[in-house]
């Protein structure tokens, strides 16, 4: 008995030692023992785009502070172990983007074998072009503008162009232009301003910067870094989503309220179909508050909202602050349906049975189809917000693809179809349809997500007659 236990122990230890490399097989034709494939590796890939979704080359990519090779606007790092990887993407003249990605392997059973599968992650990095104008105060006054781009639909083709999911379309952009104007100061007004400055400073030291913002995070962050152009669901009031904005940055706080009629005017010129759909917010460091036509105080002298495509905010105090333009995005209740398909039938018109090994059928590949339901300047911003927030770019565009149903998978030579028999393929594919829109605006698009496919073959075959006697069978 003791000798038998020793043999079993040795066998078990041998199996355990070899387990990670190969299966422990004890004989017989039916090998039901699972094998484990070792040394799986993860991979990390990235795509670099500008704020308009266009290809951006010449960037530098670091993963955990180590520079990686870049091919055009894409990079790939393979053979990575499990863990967190900090990806930093930079380019001169652009705001940097960074993301921390966690990679981990998983186990799957394939053909009676336990396979450890590495994770393959792809991420998109948007770099926003630095756009900053410096406005000086003095006797002559100064005026500068920064441009926040949006795109519209091409009426001739019916396609959405600009920064969309349509990579071959040309860009037709409309613009949100933000202009800061500081009027000239008289000698007495210069003296009033200089009395508020630190010792040794004069009017030549008074300026402010107007910067095109990439995100709300950047508007309030001390690091100045941003993940992407659009950050949906940030902390604007009333569930408003940030999509564009500027930051006014001043080295000194100056109160102009004692100078009659002197204002720094911030004018926001909007496309015609935008104004009714947006709200304007301001943050001076204590949270976002809405700016309306009746807003006064706390540095705002007046707000002119009377023009069809322009909002002008008159400031009588120079201080660092941010302005954000927000929209409310609405999504209808997603509907899940089944898209039915039918393959081309095989009909046996020969004089003997035939063997059918496979049959083709056409479905949509897994992915998303985006369809614009309207035209206008805001529809593309709506698409960008949804695409980036829900990471639709990580899901491939759904396209028609032809697949093959294999009748030999069941260890047979195929399906034997008798004379005059008919063989059919039918099935369905799950489709989830959602519609997104901007509240109080016309912009609207539909997202169709194509999912799992289910295939059902069936045959119609002749039945041999049953003889029961007589001449009329």
């Amino acid at each position: 008995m003791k000798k038998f236990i020793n043999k079993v122990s040795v066998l078990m230890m041998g199996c355990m030692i070899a387990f990670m490399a190969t299966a422990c097989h004890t004989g017989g034709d039916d090998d039901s023992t699972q094998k484990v494939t070792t040394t799986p590796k993860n991979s990390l890939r990235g795509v670099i785009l500008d704020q308009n979704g266009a290809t951006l080359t010449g960037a530098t990519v670091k993963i955990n502070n180590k520079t990686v090779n870049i091919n055009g606007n894409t990079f790939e790092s393979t053979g990575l172990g499990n863990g967190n990887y900090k990806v930093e993407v930079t380019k001169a003249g652009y705001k940097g983007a960074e993301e921390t990605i966690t990679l981990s392997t998983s186990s799957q059973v394939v053909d009676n074998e336990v396979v450890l599968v590495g994770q393959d992650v792809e991420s998109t990095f948007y770099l926003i072009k630095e756009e900053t104008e410096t406005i000086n105060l003095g006797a002559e006054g100064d005026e500068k503008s920064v441009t926040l781009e949006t795109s519209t639909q091409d009426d001739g083709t019916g396609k959405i162009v600009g920064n969309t999911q349509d990579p071959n379309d040309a860009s037709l952009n409309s613009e949100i232009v933000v202009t800061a104007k500081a009027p000239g100061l008289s000698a007495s007004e210069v003296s009033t301003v200089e009395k508020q400055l630190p010792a040794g400073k004069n009017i030549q030291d008074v300026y402010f910067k107007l910067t095109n913002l990439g995100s709300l995070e950047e508007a309030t962050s001390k690091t100045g870094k941003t993940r992407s152009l659009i950050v949906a669901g940030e902390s604007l009031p009333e569930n408003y989503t940030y999509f564009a904005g500027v930051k006014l940055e001043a080295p000194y706080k100056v109160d102009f309220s004692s100078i009659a009629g002197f204002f720094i005017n911030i004018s926001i010129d909007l496309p015609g179909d935008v104004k009714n759909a947006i709200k304007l917010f301001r943050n001076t460091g204590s949270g976002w508050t809405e700016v309306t036509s009746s807003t006064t105080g706390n540095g705002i002298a007046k707000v002119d909202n009377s023009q069809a495509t322009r909002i002008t905010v008159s400031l009588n105090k120079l201080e660092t602050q941010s302005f954000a333009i927000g929209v409310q995005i609405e999504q209808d209740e997603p509907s899940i349906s089944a898209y039915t398909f039918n393959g081309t039938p095989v009909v046996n018109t020969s004089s003997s049975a035939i063997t059918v090994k496979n049959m083709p059928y056409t479905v949509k590949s897994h992915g998303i189809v985006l369809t614009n339901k309207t035209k206008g300047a805001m529809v593309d911003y709506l698409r960008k917000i949804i695409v980036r927030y829900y990471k639709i770019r990580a899901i491939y565009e759904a396209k028609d693809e032809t697949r093959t149903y294999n009748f030999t998978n069941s260890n047979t030579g195929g399906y034997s179809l008798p004379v005059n028999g008919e063989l059919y393929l039918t099935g369905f594919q799950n489709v989830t349809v959602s519609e997104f829109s901007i509240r109080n605006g016309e912009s609207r698009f539909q997202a169709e997500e194509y999912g799992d496919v289910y295939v059902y073959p069936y045959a119609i075959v002749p039945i041999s007659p049953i003889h029961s006697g007589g001449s009329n069978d």
Side-chain angles (χ1 to χ4, degrees):
M1 180 68 175
K2 182 177 181 181
K3 188 174 182 179
F4 172 76
I5 294 175
N6 287 341
K7 286 184 178 180
V8 173
S9 299
V10 171
L11 179 61
M12 291 179 64
M13 290 179 65
C15 287
M16 291 174 64
I17 293 171
F19 182 71
M20 295 303 293
T22 185
C24 179
H25 184 54
T26 58
D29 294 331
D30 182 14
D31 186 359
S32 60
T33 308
Q34 294 181 342
K35 302 177 182 179
V36 176
T37 300
T38 60
T39 64
K41 296 296 182 181
N42 306 298
S43 61
L44 178 58
R45 294 175 287 119
V47 179
I48 304 169
L49 305 173
D50 68 8
Q51 68 265 32
N52 291 327
T55 296
L56 186 63
T57 60
T60 298
V61 178
K62 291 184 178 181
I63 299 179
N64 285 353
N65 296 318
K66 183 179 180 180
T67 301
V68 300
N69 293 331
I70 186 167
N71 181 17
N73 75 316
T74 63
F75 64 90
E76 181 175 12
S77 183
T78 59
L80 302 175
N82 295 340
N84 295 328
Y85 291 86
K86 181 181 179 182
V87 183
E88 298 176 277
V89 183
T90 57
K91 179 178 170 64
Y94 290 79
K95 300 178 177 70
E98 65 178 55
E99 182 178 358
T100 298
I101 298 172
T102 301
L103 299 177
S104 61
T105 57
S106 60
S107 61
Q108 298 180 12
V109 178
V110 179
D111 294 334
N112 210 35
E113 182 178 357
V114 177
V115 181
L116 297 180
V117 180
Q119 191 174 13
D120 184 13
V121 174
E122 177 177 320
S123 190
T124 302
F125 296 86
Y126 298 89
L127 300 190
I128 293 82
K129 191 172 183 178
E130 291 278 6
E131 188 175 7
T132 300
E133 294 290 349
T134 300
I135 295 90
N136 298 305
L137 269 67
E140 297 180 0
D142 202 0
E143 179 178 337
K144 299 285 177 60
S145 299
V146 295
T147 301
L148 319 178
E149 288 189 349
T150 178
S151 59
T152 187
Q153 183 165 342
D154 182 87
D155 293 336
T157 66
K159 294 181 179 179
I160 288 295
V161 295
N163 38 23
T164 69
Q165 301 302 287
D166 306 320
N168 297 322
D169 290 335
S171 178
L172 294 177
N173 290 327
S174 55
E175 299 173 341
I176 299 174
V177 180
V178 181
T179 303
K181 182 178 182 179
L185 292 165
S186 66
S188 62
E189 291 169 343
V190 167
S191 176
T192 300
V193 170
E194 290 181 335
K195 290 178 181 179
Q196 302 181 51
L197 302 179
K201 301 297 180 181
N202 55 40
I203 195 66
Q204 281 75 31
D205 299 310
V206 182
Y207 65 91
F208 61 91
K209 293 180 179 179
L210 190 67
T211 301
N212 180 352
L213 289 180
S215 70
L216 277 182
E217 179 180 309
E218 185 182 358
T220 56
S221 170
K222 294 181 180 179
T223 65
K225 291 188 176 181
T226 174
R227 288 189 300 270
S228 65
L229 176 65
I230 296 167
V231 181
E234 285 278 9
S235 55
L236 287 181
E238 301 178 43
N239 248 353
Y240 271 75
T241 298
Y242 168 87
F243 75 93
V246 293
K247 186 173 186 178
L248 186 153
E249 188 174 5
Y252 310 110
K253 288 186 177 182
V254 180
D255 191 343
F256 302 108
S257 58
S258 61
I259 303 176
F262 183 90
F263 310 117
I264 295 175
N265 288 320
I266 307 295
S267 298
I268 305 170
D269 291 303
L270 303 165
D273 60 339
V274 172
K275 186 176 178 183
N276 292 333
I278 65 104
K279 279 189 177 182
L280 181 64
F281 300 91
R282 185 177 75 142
N283 190 337
T284 58
S286 57
W288 294 96
T289 57
E290 184 183 353
V291 177
T292 69
S293 56
S294 59
T295 300
T296 57
N298 297 319
I300 295 181
K302 60 180 179 179
V303 178
D304 182 2
N305 201 19
S306 62
Q307 300 184 54
T309 60
R310 172 179 286 189
I311 301 172
T312 301
V313 181
S314 299
L315 304 173
N316 56 12
K317 183 183 293 185
L318 180 60
E319 61 183 337
T320 296
Q321 56 190 304
S322 299
F323 291 92
I325 299 172
V327 296
Q328 276 190 330
I329 298 173
E330 297 180 335
Q331 176 186 7
D332 65 0
E333 188 69 28
S335 62
I336 301 176
S337 59
Y339 163 72
T340 304
F341 62 87
N342 294 287
T344 303
V346 175
V347 181
N348 185 5
T349 58
S350 65
S351 58
S352 60
I354 61 174
T355 299
V356 181
K357 293 186 176 182
N358 53 61
M359 289 180 65
Y361 60 98
T362 301
V363 293
K364 292 282 189 184
S365 60
H366 279 230
I368 299 285
V369 173
L370 302 180
T371 305
N372 286 2
K373 310 293 286 187
T374 60
K375 304 174 183 179
M378 280 302 296
V379 69
D380 194 51
Y381 262 119
L382 172 63
R383 285 167 63 108
K384 285 200 301 182
I385 292 171
I386 299 301
V387 163
R388 297 190 189 184
Y389 183 58
Y390 291 100
K391 298 183 179 179
I392 293 178
R393 278 189 186 275
I395 304 174
Y396 292 104
E397 179 185 0
K399 297 180 179 180
D400 288 335
E401 67 175 17
T402 300
R403 300 182 182 181
T404 300
Y405 187 91
N406 191 345
F407 286 94
T408 67
N409 283 338
S410 301
N411 297 321
T412 66
Y415 180 80
S416 180
L417 184 63
V419 176
N420 296 324
E422 300 176 8
L423 184 59
Y424 292 86
L425 282 183
T426 189
F428 65 89
Q429 184 173 19
N430 288 331
V431 184
T432 302
V433 179
S434 300
E435 194 165 280
F436 299 89
S437 61
I438 291 180
R439 180 174 293 183
N440 299 323
E442 298 298 323
S443 298
R444 183 179 299 271
F445 80 90
Q446 180 176 283
E448 299 170 283
E449 182 174 2
Y450 287 82
D452 294 334
V453 177
Y454 302 88
V455 184
Y456 303 98
Y458 67 93
I460 299 176
V461 298
I463 300 176
S464 299
I466 300 175
H467 186 72
S468 59
S471 61
N472 296 320
D473 292 344

